[in-house]
């Protein structure tokens, strides 16, 4: 009797094919894990190539090339950590997908850094410590390099730990620590630090207040109207027009001031025209989009998706303008110091330095940004497109204003402050708004809405607890960032200066 060899051979072949498939799948998994570090390393090599090609100094080229690599590493960490401030609200509200959000952020981050990033760069470069008190220009080189390395390492650790820390805090703490290690407490410009610290305190409060005001306007004039669609058709073009006008005026007056001088009245006029044009264009679009929609909040959420995308793009521009300084300010100071010049308030960052910062932020957010997007977008509080629009727009307005004034505020503080501002306002509005109480009474028949232990009240209470627990965690991260960066930077300065000075 013949043995069923063909069947055995087939089983053996199937097993071999299964093993091959598993090996191939494991290989693809490993390649995917190595793709991001490989691309990041490629960008660092390109950064060093930029420095080697464009730096024209007679000496110190090796230091500048090394500093360019560290600045590129810092820029990627900024993109990976701070991307949550740009598109987290939009993704959390499910208005746009992750790939679209990252693409929008990347484009506008680069635009903001290259067009409007120079003013804040000057504050980071020359406004923290007094370079003349250091041991010559060479001492300033090692101070700035230590600050870059320490802050980049801390942000990398925070990103891996899913903690949205302030990159601005990290860098300024690093500069202070290395400056004190190099020349003592007198080297730090404490009055300037006091002003910057005040801006850190003001920014989350201001972001929260502005976000609450936007949400109050929408609730009073759109959400709790009997005819929501008609109210949206009337007021949404106004909101979009004001947003576009403010952004255009900022760009005309502040963002391109190094290219052309535009007087404030002229800039405001240009912004007014842009706002009117946006109002005219958006009004028929909103009317078309609202046709056939039911008179309920879910319909309003659909209408707010495009404005939310617009505000996310505006916020990305603002973030690029403000936070690019955290990567290129020290690099610009190093480039000047290698040439024997101590940076001053009149110094200007070279274009190739700005380019490293802009591209690095975009590379970082594209490769590692999704890790923290859900922390701000989903885990702090529940966001829908209307609330997310208020958060993004309030954050953008606050950061743009600070960038125009040359204040390196924390976009993380501002964004999180806006999220909490929306949440706290909702709690207050739920209990005190007569318009909401009357609206709910007509719809549900309840006469004492939210006054008893009903399901709605329990849900609100649950959200409050979530917000406050995240609030404590975030504040703890904010508090520890500056001293950790300062201590690490001081240690690195002592090591580097001992080896090379």
């Amino acid at each position: 009797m013949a043995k069923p060899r063909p069947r055995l051979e087939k089983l053996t072949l199937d097993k071999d094919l299964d093993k091959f498939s598993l090996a191939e799948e494991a290989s693809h998994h490993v390649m995917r894990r190595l793709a991001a570090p490989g691309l990041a390393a490629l960008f660092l090599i390109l950064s060093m190539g930029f420095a080697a090609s464009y730096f024209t100094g007679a000496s110190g080229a090796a230091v500048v090339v090394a500093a360019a690599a560290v600045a590129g590493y810092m820029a990627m960490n900024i993109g990976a950590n701070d991307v949550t401030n740009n598109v987290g609200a939009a993704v959390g509200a499910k208005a746009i997908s992750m790939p679209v959000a990252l693409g929008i952020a990347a484009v506008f981050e680069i635009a903001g850094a290259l067009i409007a990033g120079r003013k804040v760069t000057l504050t980071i470069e020359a406004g923290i410590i007094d370079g003349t008190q250091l041991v010559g220009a060479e001492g300033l080189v090692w101070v700035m390099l230590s600050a870059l390395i320490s802050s980049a390492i801390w942000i990398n650790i925070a990103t891996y730990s899913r903690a949205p820390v302030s990159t601005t805090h990290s860098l300024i703490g690093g500069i202070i620590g290395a400056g004190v290690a190099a020349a003592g407490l007198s080297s730090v410009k404490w009055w300037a630090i006091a002003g910057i610290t005040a801006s850190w305190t003001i920014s989350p409060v201001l972001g929260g207040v502005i976000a609450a005001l936007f949400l109050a306007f929408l609730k009073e004039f759109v959400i709790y109207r009997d005819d929501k669609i008609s109210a949206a058709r009337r007021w949404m073009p106004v909101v979009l027009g004001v947003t576009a006008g403010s952004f255009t005026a900022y760009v005309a007056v502040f963002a391109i001031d190094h290219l052309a001088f535009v007087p404030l009245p002229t800039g405001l006029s240009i912004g007014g025209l842009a706002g009117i044009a946006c109002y005219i264009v958006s009004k028929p679009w909103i009317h078309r989009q609202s046709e056939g929609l039911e008179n309920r909040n879910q319909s309003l959420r659909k209408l707010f998706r495009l404005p939310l995308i617009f505000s996310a793009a505006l916020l990305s521009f603002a973030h690029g303008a403000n936070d690019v300084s955290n990567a290129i300010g020290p690099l610009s100071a190093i480039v000047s110091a290698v040439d024997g010049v101590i940076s001053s308030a009149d110094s200007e960052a070279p274009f190739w330095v700005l380019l490293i910062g802009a591209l690095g932020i975009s590379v970082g957010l594209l490769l590692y940004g999704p890790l923290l997007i859900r922390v701000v977008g989903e885990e702090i509080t529940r966001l829908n497109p209307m609330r997310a629009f208020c958060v993004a727009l309030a954050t953008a307005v606050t950061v743009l204003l600070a960038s125009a004034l040359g204040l390196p505020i924390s976009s993380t503080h501002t964004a999180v402050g806006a999220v909490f501002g929306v949440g706290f306002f909702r709690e207050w509005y739920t209990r005190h708004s007569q318009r909401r109480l009357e609206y709910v009474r007509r719809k549900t028949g309840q006469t004492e809405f939210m006054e008893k232990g009903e399901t709605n009240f329990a849900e609100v209470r649950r959200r409050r607890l979530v917000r406050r627990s995240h609030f404590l965690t975030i504040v703890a991260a904010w508090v520890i960032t500056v001293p950790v960066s300062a201590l690490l930077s001081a240690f690195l300065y002592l090591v580097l200066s001992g080896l090379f000075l």
Side-chain angles (χ1 to χ4, degrees):
M1 182 176 180
K3 295 181 180 180
R5 292 180 58 85
R7 180 175 178 81
L8 287 175
E9 292 176 356
K10 184 176 184 304
L11 291 174
T12 302
L13 179 62
D14 289 341
K15 291 181 179 179
D16 291 339
L17 289 175
D18 289 340
K19 293 178 180 178
F20 180 78
S21 298
L22 290 174
E24 186 178 20
E25 184 178 348
S27 175
H28 288 166
H29 179 71
V30 172
M31 291 298 293
R32 283 196 300 269
R33 291 178 64 88
L34 294 177
L39 292 173
L42 178 61
F43 172 73
L44 296 183
I45 294 173
L46 291 175
S47 299
M48 292 188 288
F50 277 139
S53 300
Y54 290 101
F55 178 67
T56 58
S59 62
V63 174
V64 172
V65 170
V70 178
Y73 172 58
M74 174 67 170
M76 285 193 294
N77 278 287
I78 293 171
N81 195 284
D82 277 8
V83 70
T84 58
N85 310 323
N86 306 345
V87 296
V91 175
K94 297 179 175 57
I96 51 178
S97 64
M98 184 75 74
V100 173
L102 293 176
I104 291 173
V107 171
F108 283 89
E109 285 276 355
I110 293 175
L114 296 181
I115 294 174
R118 295 172 186 252
K119 184 180 289 290
V120 178
T121 299
L122 301 181
T123 304
I124 293 292
E125 179 180 344
I128 308 301
I129 60 174
D130 185 359
T132 60
Q133 295 193 27
L134 301 178
V135 186
E138 189 175 1
L140 182 63
V141 170
W142 300 115
V143 166
M144 290 297 177
L145 192 58
S146 300
L148 267 180
I149 296 173
S150 64
S151 55
I153 290 174
W154 170 245
I155 297 169
N156 199 336
I157 294 172
T159 303
Y160 183 78
S161 304
R162 294 173 55 86
V165 301
S166 168
T167 58
T168 309
H169 278 201
S170 302
L171 181 67
I172 293 181
I175 294 176
I176 293 173
V180 170
L185 295 173
S186 61
S187 65
V188 179
K189 298 180 179 179
W190 294 109
W191 283 109
I193 297 299
I196 294 170
T197 304
S199 73
W200 291 342
T201 306
I202 293 170
S203 59
V205 176
L206 185 59
V209 169
I210 293 176
L213 290 175
F214 280 133
L215 185 60
F217 177 85
L218 293 178
K219 284 183 176 292
E220 284 295 312
F221 292 96
V222 179
I223 297 175
Y224 290 117
R225 294 286 175 172
D226 291 332
D227 191 346
K228 304 176 189 295
I229 303 302
S230 296
R233 290 173 178 174
R234 182 183 307 112
W235 289 110
M236 280 188 63
V238 175
V239 173
L240 294 180
V242 171
T243 304
S246 302
F247 175 63
T248 304
Y250 164 78
V251 172
V253 177
F254 298 109
I256 61 172
D257 59 348
H258 60 284
L259 300 177
F261 174 72
V262 178
L264 182 60
T266 304
L268 293 177
S269 299
I270 295 173
L273 292 175
I276 293 172
C278 180
Y279 174 84
I280 295 173
V281 172
S282 63
K283 193 173 181 64
W285 178 85
I286 291 173
H287 191 277
R288 289 194 303 270
Q289 293 295 314
S290 62
E291 289 180 354
L293 294 179
E294 298 180 12
N295 187 39
R296 57 190 186 123
N297 287 343
Q298 188 64 36
S299 300
L300 295 179
R301 294 171 185 174
K302 295 178 181 178
L303 292 178
F304 270 90
R305 284 178 180 171
L306 185 61
L308 180 56
I309 295 172
F310 181 86
S311 61
L314 171 58
L315 180 55
S316 296
F317 184 97
H319 179 266
N322 193 274
D323 279 33
V324 70
S325 60
N326 295 338
I328 68 170
L331 177 58
S332 181
I334 290 171
V335 172
S336 299
V338 167
D339 284 335
V341 179
I342 301 296
S343 298
S344 66
D346 296 325
S347 302
E348 184 170 302
F351 180 79
W352 65 270
V353 173
L354 276 170
L355 192 61
I356 288 176
L359 294 178
I361 290 176
S362 295
V363 170
L365 72 88
L366 289 173
L367 295 180
Y368 299 105
L371 185 63
L372 285 179
I373 281 181
R374 290 180 178 84
V375 174
V376 170
E378 297 178 1
E379 296 180 10
I380 292 178
T381 190
R382 183 177 297 176
L383 295 175
N384 60 29
M386 290 173 285
R387 299 168 200 154
F389 171 76
C390 296
V391 169
L393 186 55
T395 307
V397 170
T398 304
V399 174
L400 285 171
L401 178 61
S403 181
L405 297 175
L407 295 174
I409 69 167
S410 168
S411 56
T412 302
H413 284 200
T414 308
V416 174
V419 172
F420 280 99
V422 165
F424 289 138
F425 173 77
R426 288 176 61 210
E427 293 176 4
W428 178 89
Y429 191 87
T430 297
R431 291 166 174 76
H432 298 90
S433 172
Q434 292 299 320
R435 181 179 295 279
R436 175 182 169 83
L437 292 175
E438 292 174 1
Y439 177 84
V440 172
R441 188 178 296 114
R442 290 197 305 269
K443 295 294 184 181
T444 65
Q446 292 178 243
T447 58
E448 296 182 355
F449 184 69
M450 294 296 203
E451 294 298 330
K452 297 179 179 179
E454 298 154 338
T455 303
N456 289 333
F457 179 82
E459 175 69 11
V460 171
R461 180 63 183 172
R462 185 188 67 81
R463 294 179 189 171
R464 287 185 60 186
L465 292 174
V466 169
R467 284 195 294 271
R468 282 151 179 79
S469 64
H470 277 77
F471 176 79
L472 294 175
T473 302
I474 291 169
V475 169
W478 290 353
V479 170
I480 198 176
T481 291
V482 172
V484 167
S485 296
L487 291 174
L488 181 57
S489 181
F491 171 76
L492 288 174
Y493 174 81
L494 294 176
V495 173
L496 293 175
S497 62
L499 292 174
F500 299 104
L501 280 180

